[in-house]
Amino acid sequence: MKKTNNKWSQEAYIKAYRFAAERHKGQLVPGTEWSYLAHLSMVSMEIIAALNHETDMDGDLAVQVAILHDTIEDTDTTYEELLSEFGQRVADGVLALTKDKKIEKQHQMSDSLKRIARQPREIWMVKLADRITNLQPPPSYWTTEKMKKYLNQAELILDNLQSGNKLLSSRLNDKIQAYQSYI
Ligand code: NI
């Protein structure tokens, strides 16, 4: 059900965080020695900041999907599990954010973006927040070609989803500009 004041609850946050902490345990942020939870904390922080500038958003949906967004893609979590633990909107949102590994790698992002476009704006916000978070200084072992590809993908995300959230789109645009200096 839509909430009018963007409210999210600490209990919903904690429930998702505990689930993600268990599922992602032992995983690190690529190129670092940080727990993968650092990534999830930063993505959910971007969402909470953006919710302050919006109306008519389901805050619990946005926050829970932010925390759970990599569980299907990067852990053994299934859609059905998310469905029974967190309900249909969260499960559908996470699924849309999950790359379909059965299709060719080069088409996985555009396929996911198409599925995200059919989801509520809260899910668009998570994709924007995810790429904002990932546009940090790249790991030293990345080639220029890989960085360029990553930047092109970020531009594709911004092109497709910028109407989803003003604050996040403007932050992603800033990160894209700043990333050029690493290449
Ligand atoms: Ni992510």
Side-chain angles (χ1 to χ4, degrees), residues 36 39 69-70 130 134:
Y36 200 75
H39 173 66
H69 76 272
D70 283 326
D130 185 38
N134 285 339

Side-chain angles (χ1 to χ4, degrees), residues 24 36 39-40 43 66 69-71 73-74 97 126-127 129-131 133-134 150:
H24 286 284
Y36 200 75
H39 173 66
L40 305 177
V43 174
H69 76 272
D70 283 326
T71 51
E73 188 163 302
D74 294 339
L97 292 158
V126 174
K127 188 68 202 175
D130 185 38
R131 193 48 66 108
T133 302
N134 285 339
Y150 205 65

Side-chain angles (χ1 to χ4, degrees), residues 77-90:
T77 303
T78 62
Y79 171 84
E80 287 71 24
E81 275 181 287
L82 293 181
L83 187 61
S84 72
E85 284 290 317
F86 299 98
Q88 175 131 32
R89 299 188 87 206
V90 169

